[in-house]
Amino acid sequence: MKEEQFDDLWMRAEAGRYARSLMAEYPGWRRRQRRRVAAAAALVVLAGAALPLLNGVLPLGGADGEYLAAHCNKAGIGEDYWVDLAGDLLAESLEV
Amino acid sequence: MKKLLLIVMLLVWPLALLAQGSLYKQYASRPGLTVAQVDGFKLCDSVRVDVVLLQADDEAAWRRLAVEFGIEGEEGVVSWLADTERPAKRVGWTGRPVLRAVASHARRTLAFYRLDNERQYDALLDYQLYRMKGDKKNKK
């Protein structure tokens, strides 16, 4: 079966009417369907993983845009605490 | 299907690691330390820097940090320019990426602000002056 023929079958199967008969008469249908679903899933996962890398250009987080993202090795301390501390330490370092 | 999943995992793994700075990773697993990373800390409308903070949970952990960074015996707040790979090493500004290190004995905290260029360096100084003036005004 050529790719164009498969695409045609795919479109028709997507419409729902012929899905069962197509699967029965063409054993490669399930395999190709799985490939397409896996490729779409991989795209979603990659997009999610790439989001942290876009922090430098997209304002993704942070109250009032004071910071883009924050994380800590221990739970229970709010992000604002660290952001305030980073600002306070800079101010204190100039005070004599 | 399995091969595809394996390829995706191999692609995602380094991306996830890149999101954490090396300084954070270096200290995050050390006992007695609370380590935080603030990405894109805003200095002014157009300039941001990444900050890593090390906070000692007790006096013993702070003494260890102080010895490691050569600030034992000093008081108050200490500041220096540090090498990005070896933050205990003092360096001068040459236009190459450096860390502005600030250590506060009272807060038992070390903060490292990564400066990749002169614009960030200038913005950091401006921020310090702005904050200092603001803090003094608030105290009056």
Side-chain angles (χ1 to χ4, degrees):
Chain A
M1 181 184 288
K2 289 179 181 175
E3 198 65 28
E4 292 82 4
Q5 288 173 309
F6 174 74
D7 282 338
D8 184 42
L9 282 174
W10 174 269
M11 294 292 284
R12 286 157 60 194
E14 281 291 285
R17 286 176 60 193
Y18 303 107
R20 284 186 185 174
S21 59
L22 282 173
M23 283 163 66
E25 73 191 33
Y26 177 53
W29 195 88
R30 271 181 182 278
R31 180 167 44 83
R32 294 202 193 207
Q33 188 189 36
R34 277 202 298 268
R35 267 192 213 160
R36 290 189 178 205
V37 170
L43 267 179
V44 170
V45 171
L46 275 177
L51 276 178
L53 297 177
L54 295 174
N55 272 349
V57 287
L58 292 177
L60 296 176
D64 303 326
E66 290 303 310
Y67 64 102
L68 298 175
H71 55 271
C72 177
N73 67 337
K74 289 177 185 166
I77 307 175
E79 293 179 351
D80 287 345
Y81 171 79
W82 297 112
V83 177
D84 291 344
L85 185 58
D88 291 346
L89 282 171
L90 276 180
E92 288 171 16
S93 69
L94 269 194
E95 288 175 0
V96 181
Chain B
M1 183 75 170
K2 281 179 185 172
K3 278 183 184 171
L4 189 68
L5 274 174
L6 191 66
I7 290 167
V8 169
M9 283 175 73
L10 285 173
L11 285 170
V12 168
W13 184 59
L15 290 176
L17 283 180
L18 277 172
Q20 293 183 346
S22 61
L23 195 58
Y24 177 90
K25 280 184 281 183
Q26 189 179 336
Y27 288 93
S29 57
R30 182 185 287 192
L33 282 188
T34 304
V35 185
Q37 181 167 326
V38 179
D39 295 328
F41 177 76
K42 187 178 174 184
L43 294 174
C44 64
D45 283 344
S46 58
V47 182
R48 293 175 182 272
V49 292
D50 292 340
V51 189
V52 173
L53 299 114
L54 316 178
Q55 191 163 65
D57 297 338
D58 52 45
E59 199 55 39
W62 175 246
R63 274 200 300 273
R64 191 179 161 200
L65 267 187
V67 169
E68 188 175 332
F69 287 92
I71 51 169
E72 72 274 28
E74 299 200 42
E75 291 178 359
V77 179
V78 187
S79 174
W80 70 93
L81 278 184
D83 187 86
T84 53
E85 298 300 319
R86 289 178 293 164
K89 185 185 175 190
R90 272 68 169 165
V91 296
W93 173 254
T94 60
R96 299 183 70 178
V98 290
L99 300 171
R100 161 64 72 189
V102 177
S104 168
H105 289 274
R107 295 175 185 267
R108 291 202 299 239
T109 303
L110 266 162
F112 298 96
Y113 307 80
R114 188 183 168 92
L115 305 173
D116 287 321
N117 51 55
E118 200 166 345
R119 199 156 161 253
Q120 286 179 321
Y121 192 106
D122 290 344
L124 191 94
L125 288 174
D126 287 344
Y127 180 90
Q128 285 179 298
L129 290 170
Y130 172 77
R131 277 292 308 266
M132 197 177 72
K133 283 177 190 169
D135 288 353
K136 278 189 177 168
K137 210 179 249 181
N138 290 335
K139 281 177 188 172
K140 280 180 185 174

